Amino acid sequence: MERRNDGGGGSGGKIKIGVCVMEKKVSCSPMEQILERLRAFGEFEIIIFGDKVILQDPVESWPLCDCLIAFYSSGYPLEKAEKYAALRRPFLVNELVPQYLLHDRSKVYQQLKLYGVPVPTYAVVRREYPNQELNYFVEDDDFIEIHGKRFCKPFVEKSIDGDDHNIMIYYPSSAGGGMKELFRKVGNRSSEFYPDVRKVRRDRSYIYEEFMPTGGTDVKVYTVGPGYAHAEARKSPVVDGVVMRNSDGKEVRYPVLLTPSEKQIARSVCQAFRQGVCGFDLLRCDLGEARSYVCDVNGWSFVKSSYKYYDDAACILRKMFLDEKAPHISSTIPTSLPWKISEPAQQSEAVRFHERGTVGISRPSEELRCVIAVIRHGDRTPKQKVKLKVTEEKLLKLMLKYNSGKAHAEAKLKSALQLQDLLDATRILVPRARSGRESDSDVEVEHAEKIRQVRAVLEEGGHFSGIYRKVQLKPSNWVRIPKDNREGEEEYPVEALMVLKYGGVLTHAGRKQAEELGRYFRNNMYPSEGPGLLRLHSTYRHDLKIYSSDEGRVQMSAAAFAKGLLDLEGELTPILVSLVSKDSSMLDGLQDGTGDINEAKARLHDIITSSKVANCNEPVEFPWMVDGAGVPKNAAQLLTSLAELTKQITAQVKMLSDDEDEKAAIDSDSPNHPYDQAKALGKAEIDTDRISAGLPCGSESFLLMFARWKKLERDLYNERKKRFDTTQIPDIYDSCKYDLLHNSHLNLTGLNDLFKVSQLLADGVIPNEYGINPKQKLKIGSKIARRLLGKILIDLHNTRREVTAAAAESNTHNDTKAVSSAKRKERCYYEDVRNECFERSSSNKKSIDLDDSHKETKYCLDPKYANVVEPERRVRTRLYFTSVPLEHPKRFRIEMTFSRGADISPLESGGKASLLPDDHTMPIMEPERLQEVGSYITLDKFDKMTRPFAMPAEDFPPAAPSQPLPHKSDILSGISKRKTKRLQE
């Protein structure tokens, strides 16, 4: 007869708890901690099955038990455990049949969707054998298509096999390209970046999903029954792959609070797979609205180092067992737990900082609340542009190929495939070396030179990175030709304008500058945190947002800054994609002031080229108010010297280029790739071998260096019209400074003299390009930066409102009049803005609900585990705020600093070799205070000063997300929420 084990009762009336898992899981610390607590209750007998029993013995001889803890791990016989459960019918903490689902990620996602759990957008590619060609799967350079659904890079690739933990992330060429592999922790690493890998795997079945930006932090959630979930944050392996460990060698994690919607997700996951104890990965991302997505579900999973969690888990499991097998015994948690295990006492954060000499034991009187910084990109190669008219049939056909065959439409070539097509065409059209034929006209020679320049640019690096090279082909002349085998005629382009833009690559010096600035911020801009900024970020008390324009050098500077700020390691591409958001509408506002800028440049040209400046010796009461203030008095003479010296440099570089041509002609069939431009993104050191060989430092050949200087020479002075173009002065200064720093080993005669002349002129031109007097500067500046100023004001006021609300709730003993006064002051600001909104909305029908602008999802540290003074405090990093009495005007005090950027003093000393840095870098000058010591600006005063020039909140255009958009249903249902969210971002 079959024995049914329905009730509690074993030796001494104890409930038998069978632990049918592999021994390596039983012996791990979390399981030992929880089983030890269950034994301490005195109500249970713990029976460990062991590997021999599980793997070798028949299920009929397995020990009897009332409740069974059984879950899959590598090598575990799940089918045998299932047979045992059917035979003995114990209470299952984790049901066994649903555990089969966990081996197939596609089935996991299907089950999650069935229970309404949000998951990333995904698609499945199934192969019956390796490298099987599938008609529904298409791969391009920057995207894949599966059954017509397109996934643009970055996207994630996971094996369908849930036991395969090697996960790949593929990055777009616009961010430098490459692939990051995530894997189970090995030592102190959990991921590795491969910059040259661009194609997806084809050896088996995979699931592809959109990449979800999480700000560099992942959340692990652990459930014990449907009513309990514990969450911990850790540094995401996506960012740099370095595992943060404590002094005991354990990964550093921080318990965090789950939002109500996340708690429901945890409950649903537990119910969907009928697993009493399980774990899953939660991605907290922000795609126009804060959302959480489940990206993986594990089997039985326990927190590895949290005594409070072990207590909770043991108590909840006890209740499960008693309710199921001994309902007559009270499952109420006893007032004092029957074990003596407790988490070791730790010093408070304030005490630890005091021992390090940072702050005192008592709570500091001032606390940082907000940091806002506007930062320029680091050192870069000079920006270049090549324009030429093309009539070659190969190039015209290429244009039609990429403009959908429309005769009048332009084609934009940016992807690797497109640029490779263009490179193949130029290699056929023009040989590597000059022809040297006397019959060639000047026009033919110049055209061939430009085609060679295009070829040289495209050949750099051996592969393409769309972040720095792009080509436009614009048709400019057409003919009508008969249609093939049809009546009538059609137009065909016979001439087009080719425009190639390249350069502007962040150099190793620029990367170092940005990283140093990030480290400076970490060590100096967050003084009250001591070394705790990284912890502040990981525990969701650091509201960090980094925005960038869409220019490659700016994006990479932002990524390098984030690397230094958060003490990250490795390549910049994963950091860029994970932590930096593009917002060109806010950070590229030049087009808004184009007319005024052109007017200023035209007037500046007249000032420089006229004799008035040179003869102006009359004293002026306010010299900075004069039009063109700062332009040297002898500007016209300096301009002539500038042109002559530029010619000298161009002639010398031409000789170097000709020598390079002669060497190339010897082996013209094999392309020479002198420098890998794409790999330079992650390059920390200069190429000393290249320099020792007498070649230019950086991503240039002598041909391109000559093209750079020749263009500057031609553009500065038009020989035929006898006219200077003063807008070229900053470019010459920039190019001269670049060569002095990076190519000083070439010993170009006159380069130091050219630098001194160009600097004198640039010091007058650059400050006046955007307004030749203070009034015009203010006008142009407000047009360019009005959206950025408006965003800063929103950030500042949101910060004050958060602090005021927290103070009103927690400091009930404070003077209520002071609290209400602060609230009233903040309310007045929003009422003023709302009135402006109402007035505008009568004409443009636009309005915004500012009362709800602060209702955002707030992720925070779990105060039960928080070893900090104020766990609810968050630092908004986007200025410097302090806390004093509520009613005091200095409560929200703004401090402003300014850095002049790179220290170019070695170049100004004449470029002497002994003064130039060996690594071709320039240090960052430390920020200077813009206020006298002891002075301050209140938030209200700052608002009054800047608000007339800032974009009002209701005029903010929708931010163009750099990542995939939310689902259509989410967009339709959340229009009003997105308006609110834009104010907080």
Side-chain angles (χ1 to χ4, degrees), residues 264-329:
Q264 181 57 47
I265 287 174
R267 181 181 183 86
S268 299
V269 170
C270 189
Q271 293 172 335
F273 298 95
R274 302 198 296 279
Q275 304 293 294
V277 177
C278 72
F280 61 90
D281 295 336
L282 193 70
L283 299 181
R284 286 173 163 174
C285 62
D286 191 355
L287 301 176
E289 187 173 346
R291 291 184 178 273
S292 302
Y293 297 82
V294 174
C295 70
D296 237 336
V297 179
N298 313 309
W300 181 288
S301 187
F302 273 133
V303 177
K304 295 183 178 179
S305 57
S306 173
Y307 287 85
K308 179 68 171 64
Y309 169 78
Y310 299 149
D311 294 349
D312 294 342
C315 291
I316 295 169
L317 288 172
R318 171 182 177 269
K319 178 174 174 55
M320 285 185 188
F321 299 147
L322 292 179
D323 288 349
E324 184 67 28
K325 292 299 180 180
H328 56 284
I329 300 177

Side-chain angles (χ1 to χ4, degrees), residues 464-480:
F464 296 102
S465 174
I467 196 168
Y468 291 124
R469 286 174 281 192
K470 48 190 174 185
V471 177
Q472 292 172 287
L473 283 166
K474 306 175 183 179
S476 55
N477 198 4
W478 305 264
V479 295
R480 301 190 67 84

